[in-house]
Amino acid sequence: MQYRRLGKSNLKVSALCLGSMMFGDQTDIEESGRIVASAREHGINFIDTADVYTKGRSEELVGKLLMGQRHHWVLASKLGNPMSDAPNESHYSRNWIVRETDNILRRLDTDYLDILYMHRDYQDENLEEAVQSLGDLIRAGKIRGFGVSNFRGWRIAEIVRLCEKNNVPLPLVCQPYYNLLNRQPEVEILPACASYGLGVVPYSPIARGVLTGKYAPGQKPGEDTRAGRGDKRIMETEFREESLLIAQKLQQHCEARGVKLGQFATAWVLANAAISSVIAGPRTLAQMEDYYDAVDLKISTEEEALVDGLVTPGHASTHGYNDPNYPFFGRVARA
C-alpha cells in the first residue's frame, strides 16, 4: 500500500480509502467484516462513512467492526443530508452540527472523528455558523479536523476565508465526484484544493460501475445493477450511450494490457498529483479485492493521451452530465 499526506496536513492516509456506503444496506455485517479485514490486511488505514448511509446503520456496523482497532484507522463521517423530516435534522445549524456529531460518535462507538465532512453544499446556508461550530468541535476534541464534500470551487474558497476570519483550522480535505468520465473538477475544484492545501479524496472512480465495462452499449442493464434498478443519479449522469462507448474502447485497451478496466480507471484518478486517496466503495469482498492492484498500476504518457482523446480535460464525457443531486445555479431567470 502507498501512503500519502492528506493535502498539506501531516496526516498520512492509504491511497485507497474504504467506503462503507453499502454496509448495512446491500452488504450485511458478515460480508462487511470480511471487507474490513481484507482492507486492513492490504494496508488500508482510511475508512469513510456518513450518517445518511442507511440512516446510521453503516456507522453502527463500522463502529462494531473497528472495535479494538480504532487507532489503526483514519475515520471519517459526514453530516448535512436529511436524517428525518424534522426542520432541524439536516443542513448546518449549530444545533444540528453539535447534536448530530454526538449521534455519529455514539453510533461509531468512538470518542472522536479524524474527519467530519459537510456532506453537500446548500447554497443559502450561513457558512460562518457552520465553520464556527466545527471549530468548537475541534477545540472540544470531538473531531480532529473537517472536510467538505460536493462543494464547488468558489465555496471552498469561502470556507477558507471564514476559517481564517474565525481562527478555525482550515479544512483538511475535499471529497468531489471525479473520474475519467467526469473531469469537470479539474477546472475549479482541484486547483482550489491545491491552492489552499486541501487533500482530495474523490468518490466513484469507476463511475458507479460504468467503468467496469459491465454495461454494454445498446443492451438493457442487468436487473441486479444500479442502472437496472433505474437509479435516478446514474441514469441522468453515467448511463449514457457516449459513456458506454468510451468504457468499451477502454475495455479493449485494458484487455490488451492484461488489466481490469476498473483498476485502470482507479489508477488514472490516483495518477493525478492533486489526489491524496480515492474511495473504493465495494458491495462485496470480491469487488474490494479488485481495487488493490490499482495502487501499483502505472498510467503511461500514451494512456494519458488516450483518455484525453476520449474525454477532453476539464469536461465530462457528454453534454448534460450533471448530478441531479447537485444542480447548477449559474442562471436565474428574471421574474
Side-chain angles (χ1 to χ4, degrees), residues 252-272:
Q252 293 169 355
H253 170 80
C254 289
E255 287 174 355
R257 183 175 172 181
V259 301
K260 293 183 177 181
L261 175 55
Q263 294 168 346
F264 177 88
T266 302
W268 181 87
V269 176
L270 285 170
N272 188 326

Side-chain angles (χ1 to χ4, degrees), residues 38-318:
S38 174
R40 179 167 182 176
E41 181 183 347
H42 284 82
I44 292 176
N45 75 338
F46 194 9
I47 189 165
D48 179 274
T49 185
D51 61 355
V52 76
Y53 295 163
T54 325
K55 288 294 190 284
R57 180 62 179 153
S58 170
E59 291 175 326
E60 290 173 353
L61 261 63
V62 169
K64 287 183 173 69
L65 295 171
L66 299 194
M67 192 175 298
Q69 52 176 304
R70 169 68 181 90
H71 295 299
H72 169 80
W73 295 93
V74 175
L75 176 58
S77 192
K78 315 180 198 72
L79 55 72
N81 277 299
M83 289 295 282
S84 78
D85 294 331
N88 290 311
E89 293 194 349
S90 67
H91 292 57
Y92 303 124
S93 68
R94 177 182 293 274
N95 175 299
W96 181 238
I97 288 177
V98 173
R99 184 157 56 99
E100 181 62 351
T101 298
D102 285 340
N103 292 336
I104 289 170
L105 295 176
R106 173 180 49 78
R107 288 191 291 262
L108 285 166
D109 195 19
T110 185
D111 295 329
Y112 69 96
L113 286 172
D114 296 286
I115 301 164
L116 176 64
Y117 287 96
M118 289 190 282
H119 201 162
R120 62 184 298 169
D121 186 4
Y122 294 102
Q123 291 292 316
D124 57 351
E125 288 294 279
N126 180 342
L127 287 181
E128 187 158 25
E129 179 179 343
V131 164
Q132 290 170 345
S133 302
L134 292 164
D136 290 343
L137 290 172
I138 292 172
R139 285 184 283 272
K142 294 184 177 183
I143 65 174
R144 300 284 168 86
F146 80 95
V148 294
S149 178
N150 300 302
F151 272 60
R152 306 209 191 279
W154 75 271
R155 297 281 278 181
I156 294 170
E158 178 66 2
I159 289 281
V160 169
R161 183 188 72 82
L162 291 170
C163 285
E164 292 172 341
K165 175 185 174 183
N166 289 278
N167 196 29
V168 171
L170 299 189
L172 298 175
V173 59
C174 173
Q175 188 178 124
Y177 176 69
Y178 177 57
N179 54 57
L180 65 80
L181 292 179
N182 176 38
R183 303 183 61 174
Q184 294 175 95
E186 295 171 355
V187 178
E188 296 286 352
I189 295 173
L190 301 189
C193 291
S195 178
Y196 296 117
L198 279 70
V200 182
V201 182
Y203 65 92
S204 202
I206 58 174
R208 299 189 176 100
V210 170
L211 289 173
T212 64
K214 67 181 179 182
Y215 297 118
Q219 295 185 19
K220 183 179 179 181
E223 293 182 1
D224 61 339
T225 64
R226 192 164 182 172
R229 293 190 297 271
D231 177 85
K232 179 178 174 65
R233 293 180 76 181
I234 190 173
M235 299 312 289
E236 293 191 18
T237 51
E238 294 87 359
F239 200 75
R240 297 163 178 265
E241 191 72 7
E242 297 92 337
S243 297
L244 301 183
L245 289 169
I246 289 170
Q248 187 178 59
K249 292 176 182 177
L250 290 172
Q251 176 86 309
Q252 293 169 355
H253 170 80
C254 289
E255 287 174 355
R257 183 175 172 181
V259 301
K260 293 183 177 181
L261 175 55
Q263 294 168 346
F264 177 88
T266 302
W268 181 87
V269 176
L270 285 170
N272 188 326
I275 304 303
S276 301
S277 180
V278 66
I279 294 176
R283 178 175 55 85
T284 65
L285 176 59
Q287 289 178 352
M288 186 69 233
E289 290 173 337
D290 271 347
Y291 279 102
Y292 298 136
D293 287 342
V295 175
D296 293 320
L297 190 63
K298 304 300 182 185
I299 303 297
S300 68
T301 302
E302 292 76 16
E303 287 171 326
E304 290 280 359
L306 170 64
V307 173
D308 289 351
L310 295 170
V311 183
T312 304
H315 291 262
S317 61
T318 180

